[in-house]
Amino acid sequence: MTRLRFSANLGFLWNDLPLPDAIRRAEVAGFAAVECHWPYDTDPTEVSDALTETGLPMLGINTATGGTGHFGLSACPHQIDDARVAIEQAVGYAEVIDAQAIHIMAGVAEGPAARDAFLSNLQFAAGLTDRTLLIEPLNAFDVPGYFLQTTDQAMGVIEEVGVPNLKLMFDCYHVARTEGDVIPRLEKLLPVIGHIQIASVPDRTAPDTGTLDYQQVFAALRSLGWSRPIGAEYKPGGATEASLGWKKTA
């Protein structure tokens, strides 16, 4: 059986440690890569040094939230300048640490003006970097009012922006909570998926609990030929090491 590879999302795993130390813990725990949410309080050279030391790639970082409760700015029509500052910040940080992708966070917004702002800001980001740009639908239970809520909506945005480096972040947790049909959506959307993340449903804890059967999801990903590291973006509910039993059977 082909073993899948996993990336430690350091926004949740080992998030009590400085980011460079969390990277080192991920390597000791056998992860093949790391990713994070908002690394900007850490000197990027320290992050780069830890990545070089461990040999782990940084799969991705997020654009800044824009403040408590904002969840990004890129679909906020009255904050175009701030959104573009956040995009420039993420691109610059990604260059130093050689992050493979940047998640362009849309923010809480709705309506045609929000969509126009999002499309414009994604075009702006594509003009700054050839790195993969990711957009991710977030479920309305966790993030009420988030602009991007479904994979169909995300596909419409990707098609309209029309740049080759804009991809879908397929978070199985968010898709399951909003749309339910995780495996059929994976099969349909595989060509435009840039990254996959996992967590239990509905509690967002380790993926060996909850209502979504990840053994079936993992089997589907093997059959689809998915070979890139899958992001473990879940809340461990205690010491991260104590939550890693699921990796033994993945």
Side-chain angles (χ1 to χ4, degrees), residues 1-233:
M1 180 177 68
T2 303
R3 295 302 297 271
L4 298 171
R5 299 183 300 144
F6 295 94
S7 168
N9 189 296
L10 304 179
F12 288 152
L13 306 185
W14 294 288
N15 65 2
D16 57 327
L17 298 176
L19 184 53
D21 291 339
I23 292 168
R24 296 181 180 101
R25 288 286 189 91
E27 190 270 334
V28 171
F31 282 94
V34 291
E35 57 200 67
C36 59
H37 292 157
W38 303 285
Y40 305 110
D41 289 339
T42 304
D43 185 330
T45 59
E46 295 180 12
V47 176
S48 181
D49 288 347
L51 294 171
T52 299
E53 176 188 326
T54 59
L56 297 181
M58 177 67 76
L59 297 192
I61 61 176
N62 295 346
T63 55
T65 63
T68 302
H70 283 263
F71 295 95
L73 298 166
S74 288
C76 299
H78 303 298
Q79 293 182 276
I80 298 291
D81 291 343
D82 292 339
R84 294 190 175 186
V85 167
I87 290 168
E88 290 171 339
Q89 176 190 39
V91 169
Y93 201 102
E95 290 289 337
V96 176
I97 68 170
D98 196 23
Q100 294 180 11
I102 299 166
H103 173 202
I104 308 295
M105 298 198 72
V108 175
E110 62 180 354
R115 191 173 195 276
D116 289 346
F118 198 36
L119 295 173
S120 177
N121 285 323
L122 289 169
Q123 289 280 10
F124 174 79
L128 293 181
T129 184
D130 293 329
R131 296 179 190 274
T132 298
L133 304 175
L134 297 171
I135 59 173
E136 178 186 16
L138 304 183
N139 77 77
F141 302 100
D142 289 0
V143 191
Y146 192 73
F147 173 74
L148 201 62
Q149 297 188 4
T150 70
T151 54
D152 284 343
Q153 185 188 8
M155 282 301 303
V157 169
I158 290 169
E159 290 168 1
E160 187 161 349
V161 174
V163 296
N165 59 325
L166 180 59
K167 301 290 185 180
L168 173 67
M169 175 112 79
F170 190 105
D171 188 319
C172 296
Y173 165 75
H174 286 296
V175 173
R177 296 216 67 188
T178 299
E179 302 175 57
D181 52 350
V182 169
I183 292 176
R185 301 304 288 172
L186 278 171
E187 293 170 344
K188 177 180 179 179
L189 298 170
L190 190 71
V192 297
I193 293 175
H195 187 44
I196 295 171
Q197 295 177 326
I198 58 173
S200 74
V201 179
D203 295 331
R204 209 175 190 183
T205 54
D208 54 356
T209 64
T211 59
L212 180 58
D213 186 343
Y214 274 103
Q215 291 305 314
Q216 292 183 3
V217 174
F218 294 156
L221 289 172
R222 291 189 194 96
S223 70
L224 292 169
W226 186 266
S227 60
R228 285 169 277 169
I230 298 162
E233 191 190 33

